[in-house]
Amino acid sequence: PTVVNGVLYIGSQDQNIYAIGAWSGDLIWKFKTQGSVESSVAVANGKVYTGGDDGNVYCLDAYTGKLIWQTFVNGDLPFTFGSFVLKSSPVVAGDKVFIGSLDGYLYALDANKGNIVWKTQAAGPIESSPAFDNGAVFFTAEEPATGMLYKIDASTGAVLWKQQLP
């Protein structure tokens, strides 16, 4: 869960994203997605962002739960998992939302409109949640027989470096 201004936001296996009063436990709103939601929720600038097992990234109004946009980000999925699962949780920095996908891409989405700004391919699926610092996005990807840590330029999607992990 994520808590902002006394409201707890959380996704669920029942295909809903919930806003719940953190102190009272009262339901404020819920939004039905097209798949379960394993991704954690990011909240920024009055908007809620999360990924769903249907392959969509959702942006909702934090106060009403109304859908602002949704963007499908698993179009290049080279293998079958039974669904288009997004396990990565989004991170919001400036006007971009960054999220990894099992299709092996890190996506940068426009935080206001949802369009894909850029996507950078790793050699394997991305289950980790990205981190943002000083104009760079960091994430890990599952690569054959190992893992790889990436540093990506947040503006362009260019790989700045990558480091093999044991």
Side-chain angles (χ1 to χ4, degrees):
T2 302
V3 179
V4 176
N5 296 327
V7 179
L8 182 141
Y9 301 93
I10 191 166
S12 175
Q13 294 291 324
D14 72 356
Q15 302 183 349
N16 284 293
I17 301 166
Y18 292 94
I20 298 168
W23 307 116
S24 67
D26 294 336
L27 177 67
I28 298 170
W29 56 256
K30 70 178 181 177
F31 177 84
K32 183 78 167 169
T33 67
Q34 300 169 27
S36 61
V37 181
E38 296 182 37
S39 173
S40 293
V41 173
V43 180
N45 303 315
K47 295 178 182 139
V48 174
Y49 303 91
T50 194
D53 281 2
D54 57 6
N56 285 296
V57 178
Y58 292 90
C59 174
L60 309 174
D61 182 285
Y63 306 103
T64 66
K66 181 180 175 185
L67 178 67
I68 297 172
W69 55 258
Q70 76 182 57
T71 301
F72 185 73
V73 297
N74 271 354
D76 297 327
L77 194 66
F79 30 71
T80 302
F81 284 93
S83 66
F84 297 110
V85 180
L86 280 175
K87 293 191 180 289
S88 177
S89 298
V91 65
V92 181
D95 61 352
K96 291 186 183 74
V97 178
F98 303 98
I99 191 166
S101 173
L102 290 182
D103 70 357
Y105 286 94
L106 179 78
Y107 289 85
L109 306 174
D110 180 293
N112 295 310
K113 298 179 182 177
N115 57 303
I116 298 172
V117 177
W118 54 256
K119 63 182 186 176
T120 298
Q121 187 173 21
I126 302 170
E127 291 189 48
S128 74
S129 300
F132 176 86
D133 184 52
N134 200 26
V137 182
F138 301 84
F139 69 95
T140 59
E142 297 175 30
E143 305 210 358
T146 187
M148 193 71 70
L149 172 65
Y150 288 83
K151 180 180 181 181
I152 305 295
D153 182 291
S155 296
T156 66
V159 176
L160 300 173
W161 56 255
K162 59 184 183 175
Q163 176 68 43
Q164 188 174 9
L165 300 173

